[in-house]
């Protein structure tokens, strides 16, 4: 079921708590919708980006805040949102989370039954990759809200979650217990779950995400956001479909052939065409000078596990999934029909724009490509929040205006609130060594034996 652009919010004053907030994808979405938010993020560089962008932030570990500082959170927060780290569930990761799906479902059941947090924490430490357990944190926050004197034991009204497609099974299990079992205090929710493609919401990038939207019983049946743009299908697309042959006659790279011609499908109806890389990057805006077209992009990374979405794309297609490897994407520019040469790779500003961040978003700190790749595409996030709250869909060009960064005074104030000091981290901030992912364990290779 999808939303049909309702006319008023289901909440009078929505206020979002963004768990695992990253550099600010959902918070930027909230900004576009005029919805306040507070993000919790433990990566120092992502927090520096957030401070520079003027976003309210706690530089903290999500689990630690729940255990030790939940009562310090603003009591008026009524929307819980977040995208737990995906490395252990992503097809690009080691797969520890995918292997532990059934085990994690068991922990969901136990949390809803009111089992001891301390006992569950002891057992979660035994997981091969502790990041796998972070997918439970939104549920644990929902439960903790009903036990919070500062909130008057009031549950969250709306929950919005997104993750890689491999987590869809867990979101369905979330839905099962939220609808049928309810939180330990008896609060129940109505829930919808599905896997959505970001290009169908105007993001100039193909990226699939497992989404959960829940509303507390009595606030109306939730719905997924209705798509605004056509889905991108590589096999149905043709370079000649968007430009004349003289304009787009291009050589292929490494012997790759062009996709089959795209045919308009009846079910596309009045949906807009997907947003291409050229639409996002060709024109000058803010400090972005505009990128010369036509160009080809070769990705060394697939898109949401779909092999058909990887490889070479032209500027008339959406980008492949933007990940931490976006800085490695090779851009080829054209001299004539027979010669290509390597042009400049995407800047962080351009990479952010392919994620639908506004131009001039103030990427800061280190590992900026990883920040960009880990973020929720803000335009997609705006569609999710709009559907969850019953608001009209955001305008397609809502995020095309250059972002106005925080002043030095504003940035210092935000960091004082989030870290404890205007220009430095303090003892309350997560330690850098605690942020390193666990080392993968290499199994000894089996010796090859010659057949007798």
């Amino acid at each position: 079921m999808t939303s049909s652009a309702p006319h008023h919010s289901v909440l009078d004053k929505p206020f979002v708590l963004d768990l695992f907030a990253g550099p600010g994808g959902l918070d930027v979405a909230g900004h576009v919708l005029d919805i306040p938010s507070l993000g919790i993020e433990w990566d120092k560089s992502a927090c520096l980006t957030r401070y520079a962008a003027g976003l309210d932030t706690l530089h903290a570990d999500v689990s630690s805040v729940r255990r030790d500082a939940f009562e310090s959170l603003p009591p008026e927060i009524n929307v819980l949102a977040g995208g737990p780290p995906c490395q252990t569930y992503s097809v690009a990761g080691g797969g520890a989370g995918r292997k532990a799906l059934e085990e994690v479902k068991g922990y969901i059941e136990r949390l809803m039954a009111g089992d001891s947090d301390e006992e569950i924490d002891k057992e979660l430490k035994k997981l091969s990759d502790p990041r796998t357990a972070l997918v439970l944190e939104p549920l644990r926050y929902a439960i903790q809200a009903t036990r919070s004197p500062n909130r008057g034991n009031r549950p969250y009204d709306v929950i919005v979650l997104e993750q890689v497609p491999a987590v869809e099974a867990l979101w369905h299990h979330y839905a099962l217990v939220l609808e049928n079992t309810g939180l330990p205090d008896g609060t129940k929710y109505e829930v919808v779950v599905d896997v959505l493609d970001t290009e169908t919401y105007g993001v100039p990038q193909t990226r699939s995400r497992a989404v959960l939207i829940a509303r507390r019983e009595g606030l109306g049946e939730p719905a997924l956001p209705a798509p605004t743009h056509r889905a991108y299908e590589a096999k149905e697309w043709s370079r000649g479909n968007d430009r004349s042959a003289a304009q787009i006659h291009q050589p292929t790279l490494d012997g790759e052939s062009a996709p089959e011609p795209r045919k308009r499908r009846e079910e596309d109806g009045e949906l807009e065409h997907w947003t291409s890389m050229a639409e996002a990057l060709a024109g000058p805006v803010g400090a972005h000078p505009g990128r010369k077209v036509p160009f080809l992009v070769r990705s060394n990374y697939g898109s949401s596990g779909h092999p058909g979405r990887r490889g070479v794309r032209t500027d008339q297609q959406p980008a492949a999934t933007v990940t931490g490897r976006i800085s490695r994407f090779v851009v080829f520019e054209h001299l004539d029909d027979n010669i290509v040469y390597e042009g400049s790779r995407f800047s962080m500003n351009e990479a952010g724009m392919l994620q639908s961040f506004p131009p001039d978003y103030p990427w800061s700190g280190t590992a900026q490509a990883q920040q960009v790749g880990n973020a929720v595409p803000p335009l997609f996030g705006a569609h999710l929040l709009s559907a969850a709250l019953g608001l009209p869909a955001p305008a397609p060009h809502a995020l095309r205006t250059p972002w106005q960064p925080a002043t030095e005074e504003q940035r210092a104030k935000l960091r004082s609130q989030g870290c404890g000091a205007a220009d430095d981290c303090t003892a309350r901030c997560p330690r850098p060594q605690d942020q390193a992912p666990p080392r993968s364990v290499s199994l000894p290779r089996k010796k090859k034996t010659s057949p007798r």
Side-chain angles (χ1 to χ4, degrees), residues 142-205:
I143 294 170
Q144 190 66 27
T146 67
R147 299 169 177 169
S148 168
N150 189 43
R151 295 179 54 84
N153 303 330
R154 181 170 50 86
Y156 296 119
D157 293 312
V158 174
I159 301 172
V160 182
L161 305 175
E162 64 88 44
Q163 246 277 16
V164 294
V167 178
E168 183 186 12
L170 284 183
W171 287 166
H172 278 295
H173 205 66
Y174 259 53
L176 183 67
V177 294
L178 287 171
E179 289 182 328
N180 298 326
T181 306
L183 302 179
D185 75 329
T187 299
K188 293 185 177 181
Y189 292 80
E190 294 189 60
V191 189
V192 287
V193 174
D194 204 351
V195 174
L196 305 179
D197 297 323
T198 60
E199 80 271 14
T200 63
Y201 300 95
V203 178
Q205 169 199 177

Side-chain angles (χ1 to χ4, degrees), residues 227-295:
T228 55
H229 292 65
R230 300 182 214 166
Y232 170 79
E233 296 293 344
K235 291 183 179 180
E236 297 181 7
W237 188 85
S238 168
R239 295 181 181 133
N241 196 50
D242 296 291
R243 292 184 183 153
S244 68
Q247 290 175 301
I248 199 65
H249 178 61
Q250 299 167 339
T252 55
L253 300 175
D254 297 338
E256 297 184 33
S257 58
E260 293 295 322
R262 175 179 173 86
K263 298 177 181 178
R264 181 178 174 85
R265 300 178 301 184
E266 290 184 7
E267 57 265 35
D268 285 340
E270 298 301 317
L271 296 180
E272 294 187 40
H273 198 276
W274 65 67
T275 302
S276 69
M277 288 185 279
E279 289 176 87
L281 302 179
V285 56
H288 173 61
R291 178 169 279 272
K292 182 180 178 181
V293 294
F295 61 81

Side-chain angles (χ1 to χ4, degrees), residues 357-378:
F357 275 89
D360 299 346
Y361 197 70
W363 302 102
S364 305
T366 61
Q368 293 181 16
Q370 197 65 49
Q371 292 183 51
V372 174
N374 287 346
V376 177

Side-chain angles (χ1 to χ4, degrees), residues 8 68 90 159 166 202 206 228 258 282 292 294 298 303 358 381 383 414:
H8 58 85
D68 308 322
S90 170
I159 301 172
T206 52
T228 55
K292 182 180 178 181
R298 181 166 59 199
S303 179
H383 279 277
L414 288 168

Side-chain angles (χ1 to χ4, degrees), residues 104-124:
V104 174
K105 287 180 182 179
Y107 287 118
I108 291 174
E109 299 280 356
R110 291 176 57 187
L111 285 168
M112 297 298 267
D115 280 17
S116 161
D117 278 335
E118 292 76 13
E119 240 358 90
I120 289 177
D121 283 337
K122 286 181 184 177
E123 295 186 29
L124 288 173

Side-chain angles (χ1 to χ4, degrees), residues 312-386:
V312 177
R313 296 192 182 180
T314 78
D315 58 277
Q316 290 299 292
Q317 295 167 278
T321 300
V322 173
T323 70
R325 301 181 188 181
I326 182 65
S327 57
R328 302 183 198 176
F329 285 15
V330 182
V331 181
F332 295 91
E333 297 175 352
H334 299 261
L335 291 175
D336 57 37
D337 289 344
N338 299 308
I339 302 175
V340 297
Y341 68 94
E342 187 172 337
S344 59
R345 300 198 178 190
F346 292 132
S347 67
M348 286 304 101
N349 192 16
E350 290 176 317
M353 292 165 70
L354 292 177
Q355 272 276 58
S356 75
F357 275 89
D360 299 346
Y361 197 70
W363 302 102
S364 305
T366 61
Q368 293 181 16
Q370 197 65 49
Q371 292 183 51
V372 174
N374 287 346
V376 177
L379 184 56
F380 181 60
H383 279 277
L384 294 182
L385 289 177
S386 294

